[in-house]
Amino acid sequence: MKKIIITLLALSAALSLSAQMREDFKPATTNQPGHQYPMVNSQRMVRAQISAPNAKSVKLDIGGVKYEMVKNSDGVWTGDSAPQDEGFHYYQLEIDGASVPDPGSLYYYGASRWGSGIDVPAADQDFYTLKNVPQGKVAEVYYYSSVTGSMRHCYIYTPAEYEQNPKKKYPVLYLQHGGGEDEHGWPQQGRTGIIMDNLIAAGKAVPFIIVMDNGSETYGPNNPRPERPAGGRPQGGAPQGGQRPQAGRGGNPFAGMDFVSAFQKILEQDLIPMVEANYRVYNDCQHRAMAGLSMGGMQTHSIALANPKLFSWIGILSGGVFSKEEVDATPGFRENNKLIFISFGSRELENRIGGAADPRPITEELGKTGMNTVFYVSPDTAHEWQSWRRALYNFAQKLFK
Amino acid sequence: MKKIIITLLALSAALSLSAQMREDFKPATTNQPGHQYPMVNSQRMVRAQISAPNAKSVKLDIGGVKYEMVKNSDGVWTGDSAPQDEGFHYYQLEIDGASVPDPGSLYYYGASRWGSGIDVPAADQDFYTLKNVPQGKVAEVYYYSSVTGSMRHCYIYTPAEYEQNPKKKYPVLYLQHGGGEDEHGWPQQGRTGIIMDNLIAAGKAVPFIIVMDNGSETYGPNNPRPERPAGGRPQGGAPQGGQRPQAGRGGNPFAGMDFVSAFQKILEQDLIPMVEANYRVYNDCQHRAMAGLSMGGMQTHSIALANPKLFSWIGILSGGVFSKEEVDATPGFRENNKLIFISFGSRELENRIGGAADPRPITEELGKTGMNTVFYVSPDTAHEWQSWRRALYNFAQKLFK
């Protein structure tokens, strides 16, 4: 009798779920060529599928939750997530305890690993959709760093008109990723080149160059990597899913603050000089911006205060604020600064951790002292890429004007 | 008694194997940042490792062979392959029947999927090793194609000196991937930018531009994709491991020869005009080369014969030959051509399928008629990337001289 009741309850729950779930799943735009799965429906639920005929358990691991998948008679497992926020999410599959990338998706670097990502359609996705407008380029560039004593790797966006104007000089934005991410974040999941080409084609942003470097990996023969604590990184262990890159995660970068000052030195001694020697750019702080998300925002904040003559335009995306007190305590900062842009996802503001101070009044207070401040909130998103795509879209329209 | 004998035999085999195997495994250069596995030893054996505590069977799938891995008490599986050829190999793991990427490796597009790859150290790896020499750029470029009616994606290499010589014009090589691969192949597993920067820095190649496009994906609104046969692609099925990209594989491209003529049209009407409008390049066939590997070599062969005024410099890498008869039957070919470069891996020549004609005497015969021919053989490699890296290294030294 008890068994029948449980069965009826389960059946009722299943019916209720299927009544609520819209069966309008479509392949994600972030799938590998020719792959149907993963899919997303109009409720922003993610459906994954994989052939694993001999597995006992397969789970879809997304947004910090592991969803059980179900096997059919062909050995193919299928499972659905709860609705996700609009925009980009890291995820993975768990097969009999092994956390692995989904063979159906394209791969992205975040949560300290190359792994699966999925783009959930958004009402405002037009601004980061590839269109037939004049196209800039995102170039992969290696350069030698005297600070690290090694070759480093970055991406540099140049606007479409750059090649057509052989005498024109351009301003430059140095744009940083978050913790557990690297220089691939902004060009790939951030869709930086596409956002900029669309903005420039619409006349909404002035053309500028964007340099995207690795702000976590600052080690080399001239700046040795700190020893890991014994047994620090589990061997063969994939990172846990659903981890969003967040300040404070990732071990090494926060072992000390050394990687921030190392990256400042790399900027001052290697990266900015390389860019200014190889591109037609202005070489004064009035034509230089720095911005970053999360950990990259904290780096931007530190570097802007440590050397206020480096960048006149500053963006902090889900990475803190500038207070009036900090600005007042930093000689030269106020005179050189043209813009302080602060942004968050709305869910970050709703769920401030441990009673953290509300960044909006802090920013407004700074604005009242005559600084040019902008406070932008991305609707219905959290500490995730959709917040940062939207922040870039808004920030870029204010820059160098 | 029988059991004891079997145990003794197994023990003896294991001892014999371990006696032969050198325990000098090191992390592969193609690993994800911070990952120790996969590893390679000095015998070019690959050792993979993954945590899969609840799995019944885990295999390392490389070079067409699946090697059983063994679980330890922590649920971590480890397994070794037989010795591999020097250079780059696609591989994957199989966990309870699911073929998935190894979370330890970087990912590459080949065998019609993004998946794991590993670079096995080679005696001659210096030529494709990143060095502190003047660095060119590999740029990601989108452009509109009138042939497909859609935006297309390619990579364009410009040499280090390109930005420093605002009036100098450059020749261009159009360089194509193989079947089951795409435009990522040459810049990533091919290490094209690094090979060229090292060659140019050593004075061994003249600086030129390289355009790497997608020669398989030629469909769009203006050139609809052929219908797949019903049930053609299994859902959720990952490609089988060990498949090397090879002419004839991959279904669609060989449904007809349409993709070859479509790619020729894209070259003539969209790609070459886009490059010549946006880069400082010569616009005559004497300064244009085309080369490709495997399927891309067959495309190069077809396009060179269909339009002998398009490219004066031709490279066919593991993708066939030009015969005297073909050249004689193609008006204008002989007059316009400056070089026919033919290459193979030595194992391809040793193992010619179905008594295929030896390409060396065919090439030598053509050379005797006054054509500039080069026949290059990569030692101890097969139909794989090490053959093509070496071919590019040799071909580039002959180009535009």
Side-chain angles (χ1 to χ4, degrees):
Chain A
M1 184 61 190
K2 195 176 169 194
K3 199 172 170 188
I4 292 173
I5 289 172
I6 289 172
T7 306
L8 282 173
L9 281 173
L11 193 65
S12 146
L15 283 171
S16 152
L17 191 68
S18 69
Q20 290 165 14
M21 187 191 298
R22 292 183 213 132
E23 277 296 337
D24 56 358
F25 285 90
K26 289 180 187 146
T29 55
T30 38
N31 286 2
Q32 294 193 24
H35 280 255
Q36 296 296 302
Y37 287 87
M39 293 188 170
V40 191
N41 76 356
S42 59
Q43 294 160 301
R44 305 193 306 273
M45 300 166 85
V46 171
R47 175 169 289 175
Q49 187 175 92
I50 188 169
S51 170
N54 308 321
K56 290 189 295 280
S57 161
V58 180
K59 293 172 190 167
L60 164 60
D61 179 357
I62 185 168
V65 178
K66 294 181 182 181
Y67 300 90
E68 295 284 350
M69 296 169 68
V70 175
K71 183 160 86 163
N72 73 5
S73 56
D74 295 330
V76 175
W77 297 72
T78 306
D80 303 325
S81 79
Q84 305 293 309
D85 285 349
E86 293 186 338
F88 180 89
H89 305 277
Y90 301 112
Y91 79 101
Q92 58 198 348
L93 301 180
E94 189 184 291
I95 302 174
D96 285 349
S99 289
V100 292
D102 179 350
S105 85
L106 294 175
Y107 303 130
Y108 301 87
Y109 193 74
S112 300
R113 97 297 186 238
W114 282 95
S116 290
I118 186 165
D119 229 311
V120 173
D124 61 347
Q125 65 192 12
D126 186 69
F127 81 84
Y128 56 86
T129 298
L130 178 65
K131 294 178 195 174
N132 184 11
V133 298
Q135 295 290 313
K137 296 186 194 73
V138 175
E140 184 170 33
V141 177
Y142 290 97
Y143 67 99
Y144 179 77
S145 163
S146 58
V147 174
T148 65
S150 62
M151 298 299 290
R152 289 177 55 84
H153 182 250
C154 68
Y155 287 98
I156 301 185
Y157 166 82
T158 47
E161 63 157 56
Y162 182 81
E163 305 287 341
Q164 312 297 339
N165 292 278
K167 302 218 165 151
K168 185 173 170 182
K169 287 187 177 183
Y170 293 84
V172 187
L173 164 63
Y174 293 81
L175 184 59
Q176 291 304 119
H177 57 84
E181 297 179 333
D182 68 9
E183 70 275 20
H184 298 87
W186 277 109
Q188 293 184 4
Q189 48 270 50
R191 298 178 77 78
T192 298
I194 292 168
I195 291 172
M196 290 307 302
D197 290 338
N198 289 345
L199 275 175
I200 294 168
K204 290 181 177 172
V206 301
F208 56 85
I209 287 173
I210 303 181
V211 178
M212 295 158 279
D213 202 320
N214 187 330
S216 303
E217 181 56 60
T218 56
Y219 308 106
N222 295 355
N223 182 37
R225 184 184 302 275
E227 290 288 322
R228 286 182 195 284
R233 182 188 287 263
Q235 284 195 337
Q240 292 310 302
Q243 282 191 357
R244 295 201 180 108
Q246 211 171 54
R249 298 268 178 93
N252 250 350
F254 286 85
M257 277 290 129
D258 278 12
F259 81 107
V260 177
S261 35
F263 189 62
Q264 181 182 340
K265 276 192 190 169
I266 291 168
L267 274 168
E268 291 169 348
Q269 295 177 30
D270 301 318
L271 185 58
I272 293 176
M274 182 278 286
V275 170
E276 296 184 351
N278 287 284
Y279 290 83
R280 281 177 279 106
V281 298
Y282 292 102
N283 61 2
D284 61 317
C285 70
Q286 305 288 307
H287 293 90
R288 278 199 300 255
M290 183 174 181
L293 71 91
S294 190
M295 184 195 83
M298 298 169 66
Q299 287 179 293
T300 302
H301 176 267
S302 296
I303 293 170
L305 292 176
N307 185 349
K309 292 183 182 172
L310 212 49
F311 303 105
S312 290
W313 310 76
I314 297 291
I316 313 277
L317 287 47
S318 306
V321 280
F322 276 88
S323 69
K324 177 179 173 301
E325 291 69 26
E326 286 172 319
V327 167
D328 287 344
T330 308
F333 187 94
R334 187 179 288 275
E335 297 81 329
N336 280 310
N337 188 268
K338 293 278 193 183
L339 172 68
I340 290 184
F341 178 96
I342 305 290
S343 76
F344 287 92
S346 66
R347 301 197 207 288
E348 294 184 278
L349 296 180
E350 290 154 18
N351 306 307
R352 290 201 308 280
I353 298 157
D358 187 342
R360 186 193 296 269
I362 298 174
T363 305
E364 285 171 355
E365 190 193 357
L366 183 62
K368 281 179 197 151
T369 71
M371 301 285 291
N372 181 25
T373 60
V374 172
F375 192 82
Y376 169 74
V377 180
S378 163
D380 301 325
T381 59
H383 198 78
E384 57 195 354
W385 274 99
Q386 192 71 355
S387 302
W388 306 321
R389 290 170 174 170
R390 289 173 177 164
L392 174 63
Y393 176 77
N394 282 275
F395 180 51
Q397 297 183 53
K398 310 283 183 197
L399 276 180
F400 309 120
K401 284 185 175 173
Chain B
M1 184 61 189
K2 196 175 167 196
K3 199 172 168 188
I4 293 174
I5 290 172
I6 289 172
T7 305
L8 282 173
L9 280 173
L11 193 65
S12 147
L15 282 172
S16 152
L17 192 66
S18 69
Q20 290 165 13
M21 188 191 299
R22 290 182 214 136
E23 279 296 337
D24 56 358
F25 286 89
K26 289 181 186 144
T29 55
T30 38
N31 286 2
Q32 294 194 24
H35 281 254
Q36 296 297 301
Y37 287 88
M39 292 188 170
V40 191
N41 76 355
S42 59
Q43 293 159 302
R44 306 191 307 272
M45 301 167 84
V46 172
R47 174 169 290 175
Q49 186 175 91
I50 188 170
S51 169
N54 308 320
K56 291 189 294 283
S57 162
V58 180
K59 293 173 190 166
L60 164 61
D61 179 357
I62 186 167
V65 179
K66 294 181 182 180
Y67 301 90
E68 296 283 352
M69 296 168 68
V70 176
K71 185 160 87 165
N72 74 5
S73 57
D74 295 330
V76 174
W77 297 72
T78 307
D80 302 326
S81 79
Q84 305 293 307
D85 285 349
E86 295 186 335
F88 179 88
H89 305 278
Y90 301 113
Y91 79 101
Q92 57 198 346
L93 301 181
E94 190 184 290
I95 302 174
D96 285 349
S99 287
V100 293
D102 179 350
S105 85
L106 293 176
Y107 303 130
Y108 301 86
Y109 193 74
S112 300
R113 96 292 185 246
W114 283 94
S116 291
I118 187 164
D119 230 311
V120 173
D124 61 346
Q125 66 191 11
D126 186 68
F127 79 86
Y128 55 86
T129 298
L130 178 65
K131 294 177 195 173
N132 184 12
V133 298
Q135 294 289 313
K137 296 186 193 74
V138 175
E140 182 171 32
V141 177
Y142 290 97
Y143 68 99
Y144 179 76
S145 162
S146 58
V147 174
T148 64
S150 62
M151 299 299 290
R152 288 176 57 83
H153 182 251
C154 68
Y155 287 98
I156 301 185
Y157 166 83
T158 46
E161 64 157 54
Y162 182 81
E163 306 286 341
Q164 314 296 340
N165 291 278
K167 301 216 166 156
K168 184 173 170 183
K169 286 187 176 181
Y170 292 84
V172 186
L173 164 64
Y174 294 81
L175 184 60
Q176 292 305 121
H177 57 84
E181 298 179 333
D182 68 9
E183 70 274 21
H184 299 87
W186 277 108
Q188 294 183 5
Q189 47 271 50
R191 300 180 74 80
T192 297
I194 292 168
I195 292 172
M196 290 306 303
D197 290 339
N198 289 345
L199 275 174
I200 294 168
K204 291 182 177 172
V206 300
F208 55 87
I209 287 173
I210 304 182
V211 178
M212 297 158 277
D213 202 321
N214 186 329
S216 303
E217 181 55 59
T218 56
Y219 307 105
N222 296 354
N223 182 37
R225 184 184 301 275
E227 290 288 323
R228 286 184 195 285
R233 183 190 286 263
Q235 285 194 337
Q240 292 311 302
Q243 281 191 359
R244 295 200 179 110
Q246 214 172 52
R249 297 270 180 89
N252 250 349
F254 286 84
M257 277 291 131
D258 278 13
F259 81 107
V260 177
S261 34
F263 189 62
Q264 183 181 339
K265 275 191 190 170
I266 291 167
L267 274 168
E268 291 170 349
Q269 295 177 29
D270 301 320
L271 184 57
I272 294 175
M274 181 278 284
V275 170
E276 295 185 351
N278 287 284
Y279 289 82
R280 281 177 279 105
V281 297
Y282 293 102
N283 61 4
D284 61 317
C285 69
Q286 305 288 308
H287 293 89
R288 278 200 299 256
M290 182 172 180
L293 72 91
S294 191
M295 185 194 83
M298 298 169 66
Q299 288 179 294
T300 303
H301 177 266
S302 296
I303 292 169
L305 292 175
N307 186 349
K309 294 184 181 171
L310 212 49
F311 303 104
S312 292
W313 309 76
I314 298 291
I316 314 276
L317 286 47
S318 306
V321 280
F322 277 88
S323 68
K324 178 179 173 300
E325 292 70 27
E326 286 172 320
V327 166
D328 287 344
T330 307
F333 188 94
R334 188 178 287 273
E335 296 84 330
N336 280 311
N337 188 268
K338 295 276 192 183
L339 172 68
I340 291 184
F341 178 95
I342 305 290
S343 76
F344 287 92
S346 66
R347 300 197 207 289
E348 294 184 279
L349 296 180
E350 290 154 18
N351 306 307
R352 288 201 308 281
I353 297 157
D358 187 343
R360 187 193 297 269
I362 297 172
T363 306
E364 285 170 355
E365 190 193 355
L366 183 62
K368 282 178 197 154
T369 71
M371 302 284 293
N372 181 26
T373 60
V374 172
F375 192 84
Y376 169 74
V377 179
S378 162
D380 301 326
T381 60
H383 198 77
E384 57 196 354
W385 273 99
Q386 193 71 356
S387 301
W388 307 321
R389 290 170 174 170
R390 289 173 177 164
L392 174 63
Y393 175 77
N394 283 275
F395 180 51
Q397 298 184 52
K398 310 284 182 195
L399 276 180
F400 309 120
K401 285 182 174 172

